[in-house]
Amino acid sequence: MRAKISDIAKIAGLSTASISRVLNNQGGYSKETAKRVMKIANDLGYFKDRSASDLARRSNNTIGVIYTDFETNFNDLVIKNIMIEAKKRHLDVILMIAQQNDPDGLTKIVQGMIERRVFAVQFISTHPSPQIIQMLNQAAIFPQVIGDATDHTVSYVSSDDMAIGYHATTYLIEKGYRSIGFVSPNITTDYVSHLRFSGYRKSLKEHGISFKSNWLFEESYSYQTGIHASAHYQKYGDVDAVIGVSDEVSWGLLNGFYDLNVSVPSDIALISIDGTELCSQTRPRLTSVTQDFALMGKTAIKQAPKKADPHRVTAVTIPFKINIRETS
């Protein structure tokens, strides 16, 4: 049976109020009393009920993090650094996984977070709907998206996705490439892809290059998309370089071209977007636009306020860089 404060009080010969003050470091007792109470608590195997404690003091030190089983692998970097920064700030973290394209399931998870009295909910690789944002604001809980820009009115910590598309394209043009493919999810329905494609088109236009429709291949962020795209370019595209919108896509492109006897970078150059450790594990190693996912995770924790203001929306842009490796 789980030990209770009343059990400690009975053995210590003190009131439950006195025991509660000791366990919650509220003062009004001697060091000797505190030492004796903590020893009794440890001997009994007592653990504080944090939910009850938070309710009593009308505050919470818990952040909720919701992520999806996404095709890309940057989630781990973000989550790892959320946990590191949260530990420094003595915050607890509740992690929940949501299925892709399941709005009802996501709503249910958010409702569970509200019931657990978290003070912020962070979304990784998934975007909350306006209804979910409103639900959190009404509950005075801070909603925040990490790793992606969003077209909804919600705080986020992300790279500048339009600038990523622009600089990836400009880098290839300055290397002498003029027919540049772009592989991504649907650029109309996927907001991040839309921004990156807009940056890509802007760079082409500034350098006097006319876009051709067969340079664009739309499917998803997955490895298999890269395989399919390589076959598309072999059959229809007269490209000399390709931008993969994720490391998994670029890995698929690299292997797909290898299977088709297309040499990278001699025949076609590749640049990947994300720059996770996968880029150093392929052969040849992938040139990448490298995002700082570790900094995103740490910054997101620093930005999360204890008291949510429904009218406070923060947009934090994290710098990125181009790592030149062996595919360009």
Side-chain angles (χ1 to χ4, degrees):
M1 186 174 179
R2 181 171 177 171
K4 296 180 288 187
I5 286 179
S6 58
D7 298 324
I8 303 171
K10 185 176 180 180
I11 296 172
L14 298 169
S15 68
T16 55
S18 296
I19 300 299
S20 179
R21 285 199 302 274
V22 173
L23 296 175
N24 289 291
N25 299 311
Q26 293 176 339
Y29 47 82
S30 67
K31 289 183 179 179
E32 291 74 17
T33 297
K35 185 176 180 180
R36 184 162 62 92
V37 168
M38 294 307 296
K39 183 180 186 306
I40 294 169
N42 290 334
D43 289 344
L44 291 176
Y46 171 80
F47 292 94
K48 183 167 69 172
D49 185 340
R50 292 196 176 188
S51 295
S53 177
D54 289 337
L55 187 61
R57 67 174 184 266
R58 298 181 182 276
S59 67
N60 201 328
N61 289 320
T62 305
I63 285 181
V65 176
I66 303 173
Y67 66 103
T68 62
D69 52 343
F70 206 51
E71 292 107 335
T72 63
N73 67 342
F74 72 78
N75 283 355
D76 292 346
L77 280 169
V78 176
I79 292 170
K80 177 181 177 181
N81 285 277
I82 284 175
M83 302 300 288
I84 290 171
E85 192 64 30
K87 184 178 180 180
K88 288 181 183 177
R89 295 169 181 267
H90 307 290
L91 301 175
D92 297 321
V93 178
I94 297 175
L95 282 173
M96 297 288 287
I97 187 167
Q99 299 299 312
Q100 292 187 55
N101 304 314
D102 181 10
D104 292 339
L106 182 59
T107 299
K108 186 174 180 180
I109 290 172
V110 170
Q111 288 170 338
M113 293 286 190
I114 293 172
E115 291 170 1
R116 288 173 171 84
R117 298 177 57 79
V118 300
F119 73 84
V121 176
Q122 299 175 329
F123 298 86
I124 308 172
S125 299
T126 184
H127 288 180
S129 66
Q131 291 76 21
I132 286 177
I133 295 168
Q134 183 180 16
M135 184 193 312
L136 290 168
N137 284 335
Q138 288 175 341
I141 294 173
F142 180 68
Q144 185 184 48
V145 175
I146 307 174
D148 293 327
T150 172
D151 55 348
H152 296 155
T153 306
V154 63
S155 296
Y156 66 86
V157 178
S158 174
S159 302
D160 183 334
D161 286 295
M162 183 176 287
I164 283 176
Y166 178 86
H167 286 287
T169 310
T170 300
Y171 165 77
L172 290 171
I173 292 171
E174 289 177 350
K175 292 281 289 185
Y177 301 103
R178 306 290 293 180
S179 303
I180 302 169
F182 189 91
V183 184
S184 75
N186 187 287
I187 60 170
T188 302
T189 59
D190 186 88
Y191 187 62
V192 171
S193 295
H194 167 75
L195 291 175
R196 292 175 180 175
F197 183 73
S198 297
Y200 159 82
R201 289 294 303 271
K202 179 182 178 183
S203 180
L204 291 180
K205 184 177 180 180
E206 286 184 1
H207 290 87
I209 299 173
S210 298
F211 170 71
K212 295 181 180 180
S213 60
N214 60 7
W215 290 357
L216 174 64
F217 184 87
E218 298 170 284
E219 193 170 286
S220 74
Y221 288 98
S222 70
Y223 171 86
Q224 205 60 39
T225 290
I227 295 290
H228 297 160
S230 63
H232 165 82
Y233 290 124
Q234 176 79 335
K235 186 174 182 180
Y236 301 108
D238 55 343
V239 298
D240 54 13
V242 180
I243 299 169
V245 81
S246 73
D247 291 343
E248 285 71 19
V249 165
S250 300
W251 181 25
L253 282 163
L254 188 62
N255 287 355
F257 284 134
Y258 177 84
D259 291 341
L260 295 167
N261 295 314
V262 176
S263 177
V264 176
S266 300
D267 299 325
I268 293 180
L270 292 180
I271 185 168
S272 185
I273 296 175
D274 278 351
T276 64
E277 61 182 7
L278 179 60
C279 293
S280 297
Q281 294 171 347
T282 62
R283 293 296 182 271
R285 298 172 181 86
L286 284 161
T287 293
S288 67
V289 178
T290 301
Q291 302 189 72
D292 195 338
F293 295 113
L295 184 57
M296 287 183 199
K298 293 177 181 178
T299 302
I301 290 292
K302 294 175 183 177
Q303 289 291 313
K306 282 292 191 71
K307 293 184 178 180
D309 177 358
H311 303 290
R312 178 177 180 264
V313 175
T314 60
V316 181
T317 302
I318 302 298
F320 60 85
K321 61 184 178 180
I322 292 180
N323 285 118
I324 302 171
R325 298 187 179 93
E326 299 166 351
T327 60
S328 63

